[in-house]
Amino acid sequence: MNLDTQSLQPIINFIWTVADDVLINKYLENQYQDVILPMTVLRRLDLALEPTKDQVLKTHNEFKSKMDNLSGLLTSKDHGSGLEFYNTSPYTMKMLLDDPKNIDSNFLDYLNGFSENVQDIIQKFKFRNQLETFETTGITFSLLEKFCSPKVELSPQKISPMAMGYMFEDLIRRFNEKTNAAAGRHFTPREIIELMTHLVYLPVKDKIQKGTYLVYDPCAGSGAMLTQSKKFATNPEGEIKSKASFHLYGQENTGEMYAVCKSDMLLKGEDPDKIQFGSTLSKYGFDPNLKFNFMLTNPPYGTSWKEDQKELNVGTAKKIEINDTRFNLEIKNFKGELEKQCLTSRSNDGQLMFMLHMLSKMKDPKDGGSRIASVHNGSAIFTGSAGSGESGIRQYILENDLLECIIQLPNAMFYNTGIATYVWILSNNKSPERRGKVQLINASSDKFYSKMRKALGSKSNELKPNHILDIQNIYFDFEENEYSKIFDNENFGYYQITTHQPEKDENGKIVKDSKGKPKSDKDLKDTENVPMTENIDTYFAREVLPFAQDAWYDTTKMKVGYEIPFNKYFYEYQPLRKLNDIAADILALEQATESLLKEIVE
């Protein structure tokens, strides 16, 4: 599954030159991708159809007056393309170059000849909007000539879906950097997908040798997680060698990435209708009762989901109320009683909402259950105090024993962010030794990555096959060591209590209310987070009373909280430098500064 990304750079660089050679002064820089991305997809589809072009035209001409729907014939191996799509125009891209005078009208005819599923791709790219500009600026011939160059080898036989996904992600990254635009999502490097697929499939490899399995990505992007996970499970030369049938489902709300994903599903012979367009949170595209065996995703983090909130909200403007069963779940209050709550994260970060969505799509454990791999930033493990939506989501996951493992990845692994990232592995059918437990793996040290020869945006580190093997071995060993810690689910829970100290008058006497009880001093009111594994009174006596002997806490207003303070568990003490060493450094700086000032003055 390894991908030599450096070998793809010449093709990417050539495609990139199309902007400078053809589009410059015709398009604004922030419009380049509106042409480059759809042309790349169309050329890829065009190359896939070239070998069967004559057969498709023959069948079409023979039966178009006899049958209303020719799709079955035109996609069949014997009479058509042998693929899930076709083109009934008399042209291929190369053939369009033979008639420069009529190239604009012929190009439109060529686009109109594609089957309906490709028309959806063209529409999502809004590509027909560009044709008038092509014609008025006279660039159609030059553009097609560039994409028909042997230097742009995009056929499915030469460029795999994984490679194609990487190419698109690199191009989009470049477009965003050129226009100083935020990418809005964090594309998943191929080696992280490989790690995720290993940890999702290998624990159950003996159980998935036959049968039918549904794989789902609610934030599908280019579709690489779907196609590569299936390849890993079914590769006859791989570790699993499953003979089972795997069906791929995905949803994507960005038009260009939806088009890329759907085009590669067509080329792989997958069902394109299993890729849906729209927001997964507010416009879920599949049967609500459909459940999946495996789910892999990299949801957008640090990204607003306000528009979804507006669609889902049935409450007032001040309070989010969502009736959707995906987000209304039972969690325990401080008394240990189950209460149904609407669990929503803050509006500027919807990553944990995608987690709840996936949890709602898990199969019943009696039917084998489900396994999930999901990438998140640090916010998902610790943001949100007791009683918040984020804390409640973590509480639901841990109280229901759904979390197997969290792996901290090395920094600088993603193309447009250098922040710390974590892979969550979840299951509702844990192996006996993992029940009631959570494993944390710290794979952030240089033992688990290699420096890249050349950085790609913010990505300067990568996982090599030996690193992936080291991480999965730590997971399967399920033992505590320098890089692995194992906890009970309750270790991440705490009770938040409000502590009070009495108000005192000018003479230092405690002020009492009408019932003779001490009045609470508002300025001294505070909160304490008591670990769920401790007795609250014992904790209070040890941590509070020695410093405030008259303090008390309110037993009626406690809150339950859950967080996973990853760094706390893997903290390594760094001794302070000696004063003599610090003084020597300061003296050296002073001397250097003095010499520099003398040079300036003289």
Side-chain angles (χ1 to χ4, degrees), residues 363-478:
K363 281 184 171 286
D364 192 293
K366 295 176 184 176
D367 300 322
S370 302
R371 294 185 60 76
I372 295 172
S374 187
V375 184
H376 296 271
N377 69 358
S379 177
I381 63 175
F382 57 74
T383 294
S385 60
S388 69
E390 290 93 346
S391 174
I393 293 169
R394 290 189 291 268
Q395 181 181 350
Y396 176 81
I397 291 170
L398 289 160
E399 284 184 350
N400 287 278
D401 197 20
L402 298 172
L403 181 61
E404 277 194 357
C405 180
I406 297 180
I407 301 159
Q408 181 175 355
L409 298 170
N411 288 353
M413 287 296 297
F414 288 78
Y415 306 117
N416 60 347
T417 180
I419 61 175
T421 48
Y422 304 80
V423 175
W424 293 45
I425 305 297
L426 299 98
S427 170
N428 61 349
N429 198 4
K430 287 184 175 183
S431 56
E433 71 274 11
R434 288 187 180 271
R435 288 172 191 162
K437 306 285 184 182
V438 174
Q439 182 181 20
L440 302 183
I441 298 175
N442 180 13
S444 62
S445 73
D446 56 10
K447 170 184 168 65
F448 297 101
Y449 68 86
S450 295
K451 282 286 181 186
M452 296 173 64
R453 286 177 296 168
K454 184 180 179 182
L456 295 171
S458 298
K459 180 174 173 58
S460 58
N461 298 328
E462 62 182 345
L463 304 180
K464 297 289 190 181
N466 61 296
H467 300 133
I468 294 170
L469 186 60
D470 286 344
I471 295 169
Q472 74 181 55
N473 284 343
I474 293 173
Y475 168 85
F476 282 113
D477 289 343
F478 195 56

Side-chain angles (χ1 to χ4, degrees), residues 441-593:
I441 298 175
N442 180 13
S444 62
S445 73
D446 56 10
K447 170 184 168 65
F448 297 101
Y449 68 86
S450 295
K451 282 286 181 186
M452 296 173 64
R453 286 177 296 168
K454 184 180 179 182
L456 295 171
S458 298
K459 180 174 173 58
S460 58
N461 298 328
E462 62 182 345
L463 304 180
K464 297 289 190 181
N466 61 296
H467 300 133
I468 294 170
L469 186 60
D470 286 344
I471 295 169
Q472 74 181 55
N473 284 343
I474 293 173
Y475 168 85
F476 282 113
D477 289 343
F478 195 56
E479 296 173 352
E480 288 211 338
N481 55 46
E482 181 182 357
Y483 306 106
S484 171
K485 308 292 181 188
I486 298 170
F487 301 90
D488 294 330
N489 293 336
E490 293 77 16
N491 287 130
F492 304 114
Y494 62 90
Y495 296 109
Q496 186 177 84
I497 61 174
T498 301
T499 62
H500 300 268
Q501 293 186 52
E503 184 181 329
K504 296 182 180 180
D505 61 24
E506 294 178 356
N507 299 319
K509 292 184 177 180
I510 294 175
V511 178
K512 297 185 178 181
D513 60 20
S514 58
K515 296 180 180 180
K517 295 182 178 180
K519 289 185 69 175
S520 175
D521 189 326
K522 294 179 180 178
D523 294 333
L524 297 178
K525 189 160 60 173
D526 203 355
T527 59
E528 288 281 334
N529 292 340
V530 183
M532 200 170 281
T533 52
E534 281 204 48
N535 177 275
I536 297 177
D537 289 335
T538 303
Y539 176 94
F540 194 80
R542 185 183 73 243
E543 300 293 338
V544 179
L545 291 180
F547 311 100
Q549 61 182 4
D550 295 323
W552 72 92
Y553 68 92
D554 191 339
T555 58
T556 64
K557 295 183 179 179
M558 291 194 296
K559 295 179 181 178
V560 176
Y562 274 81
E563 65 177 8
I564 305 170
F566 211 97
N567 292 336
K568 169 186 170 183
Y569 301 126
F570 291 97
Y571 173 74
E572 291 183 11
Y573 172 72
Q574 298 292 335
L576 297 173
R577 297 177 64 204
K578 294 180 180 178
L579 286 175
N580 290 341
D581 294 339
I582 296 171
D585 286 348
I586 293 172
L587 184 61
L589 282 171
E590 287 178 345
Q591 291 172 345
T593 304

Side-chain angles (χ1 to χ4, degrees), residues 63-95:
F63 291 96
K64 64 182 178 181
S65 60
K66 302 175 183 177
M67 297 172 63
D68 291 331
N69 188 346
L70 298 180
S71 292
L73 278 174
L74 295 178
T75 55
S76 69
K77 281 189 176 182
D78 294 333
H79 304 283
S81 65
L83 300 168
E84 294 291 322
F85 62 103
Y86 54 86
N87 187 312
T88 58
S89 82
Y91 306 104
T92 64
M93 272 198 184
K94 276 188 178 179
M95 291 167 65

Side-chain angles (χ1 to χ4, degrees), residues 60-156:
H60 180 253
N61 292 332
E62 184 176 347
F63 291 96
K64 64 182 178 181
S65 60
K66 302 175 183 177
M67 297 172 63
D68 291 331
N69 188 346
L70 298 180
S71 292
L73 278 174
L74 295 178
T75 55
S76 69
K77 281 189 176 182
D78 294 333
H79 304 283
S81 65
L83 300 168
E84 294 291 322
F85 62 103
Y86 54 86
N87 187 312
T88 58
S89 82
Y91 306 104
T92 64
M93 272 198 184
K94 276 188 178 179
M95 291 167 65
L96 288 168
L97 298 173
D98 295 336
D99 187 5
K101 183 183 267 190
N102 297 303
I103 197 163
D104 290 296
S105 59
N106 291 344
F107 188 37
L108 178 59
D109 188 30
Y110 168 79
L111 293 177
N112 292 340
F114 276 110
S115 51
E116 197 167 324
N117 43 27
V118 178
Q119 295 301 334
D120 182 36
I121 292 170
I122 295 170
Q123 188 269 329
K124 290 302 188 298
F125 271 128
K126 300 179 181 177
F127 187 61
R128 283 188 173 81
N129 295 354
Q130 312 305 325
L131 300 187
E132 184 178 347
T133 305
F134 291 178
E135 185 171 2
T136 55
T137 57
I139 63 172
T140 311
F141 184 90
S142 300
L143 187 64
L144 289 168
E145 187 178 43
K146 277 279 188 182
F147 275 93
C148 289
S149 167
K151 294 181 180 179
V152 188
E153 180 49 82
L154 298 172
S155 71

Side-chain angles (χ1 to χ4, degrees), residues 204-247:
V204 292
K205 66 177 182 179
D206 295 334
K207 300 176 182 177
I208 58 171
Q209 291 300 315
K210 58 184 180 180
T212 299
Y213 299 94
L214 309 187
V215 188
Y216 175 54
D217 184 348
C219 311
S222 66
M225 281 197 185
L226 292 171
T227 55
Q228 294 311 308
S229 68
K230 178 175 180 176
K231 182 177 179 181
F232 177 69
T234 59
N235 185 352
E237 298 178 1
E239 295 180 65
I240 298 177
K241 303 180 180 65
S242 175
K243 298 289 198 312
S245 175
F246 288 80
H247 297 273

Side-chain angles (χ1 to χ4, degrees), residues 161-425:
M162 176 184 254
M164 201 68 225
Y166 167 80
M167 288 171 62
F168 271 100
E169 290 160 10
D170 196 25
L171 284 168
I172 291 171
R173 175 187 62 80
R174 294 190 190 196
F175 286 128
N176 284 316
E177 287 179 354
K178 194 173 183 67
T179 57
N180 294 317
R185 62 186 63 227
H186 305 288
F187 293 117
T188 315
R190 306 303 109 182
E191 70 268 26
I192 294 179
I193 294 178
E194 186 170 352
L195 173 65
M196 293 168 72
T197 56
H198 284 208
L199 296 181
V200 162
Y201 288 112
L202 287 176
V204 292
K205 66 177 182 179
D206 295 334
K207 300 176 182 177
I208 58 171
Q209 291 300 315
K210 58 184 180 180
T212 299
Y213 299 94
L214 309 187
V215 188
Y216 175 54
D217 184 348
C219 311
S222 66
M225 281 197 185
L226 292 171
T227 55
Q228 294 311 308
S229 68
K230 178 175 180 176
K231 182 177 179 181
F232 177 69
T234 59
N235 185 352
E237 298 178 1
E239 295 180 65
I240 298 177
K241 303 180 180 65
S242 175
K243 298 289 198 312
S245 175
F246 288 80
H247 297 273
L248 307 182
Y249 292 78
Q251 186 155 344
E252 174 58 40
N253 71 338
T254 305
E256 60 192 17
M257 293 314 298
Y258 165 81
V260 171
C261 181
K262 188 166 183 175
S263 67
D264 263 338
M265 292 298 164
L266 287 171
L267 290 166
K268 290 288 289 181
E270 301 291 342
D271 182 355
D273 291 334
K274 290 186 172 69
I275 304 299
Q276 291 291 309
F277 179 72
S279 171
T280 298
L281 298 182
S282 59
K283 292 183 174 66
Y284 178 56
F286 301 103
D287 185 328
N289 297 316
L290 186 64
K291 307 291 183 179
F292 304 97
N293 304 90
F294 301 101
M295 290 172 262
L296 304 95
T297 197
N298 179 5
Y301 29 89
T303 301
S304 171
W305 66 289
K306 281 185 180 179
E307 293 305 311
D308 292 297
Q309 279 188 348
K310 291 177 185 176
E311 293 282 339
L312 293 166
N313 187 22
V314 295
T316 65
K318 293 181 180 179
K319 185 179 180 181
I320 296 297
E321 294 179 10
I322 298 175
N323 284 340
D324 196 309
T325 56
R326 293 175 295 171
F327 311 123
N328 283 270
L329 301 164
E330 288 187 333
I331 55 176
K332 290 179 182 177
N333 60 23
F334 69 90
K335 298 176 183 177
E337 301 165 340
L338 283 173
E339 285 184 355
K340 183 166 282 190
Q341 293 189 28
C342 177
L343 299 175
T344 59
S345 63
R346 61 199 64 200
S347 61
N348 62 0
D349 189 355
Q351 59 181 303
L352 283 174
M353 301 305 291
F354 287 96
M355 177 69 80
L356 286 184
H357 169 75
M358 288 190 291
L359 297 181
S360 74
K361 303 305 171 187
M362 297 180 98
K363 281 184 171 286
D364 192 293
K366 295 176 184 176
D367 300 322
S370 302
R371 294 185 60 76
I372 295 172
S374 187
V375 184
H376 296 271
N377 69 358
S379 177
I381 63 175
F382 57 74
T383 294
S385 60
S388 69
E390 290 93 346
S391 174
I393 293 169
R394 290 189 291 268
Q395 181 181 350
Y396 176 81
I397 291 170
L398 289 160
E399 284 184 350
N400 287 278
D401 197 20
L402 298 172
L403 181 61
E404 277 194 357
C405 180
I406 297 180
I407 301 159
Q408 181 175 355
L409 298 170
N411 288 353
M413 287 296 297
F414 288 78
Y415 306 117
N416 60 347
T417 180
I419 61 175
T421 48
Y422 304 80
V423 175
W424 293 45
I425 305 297

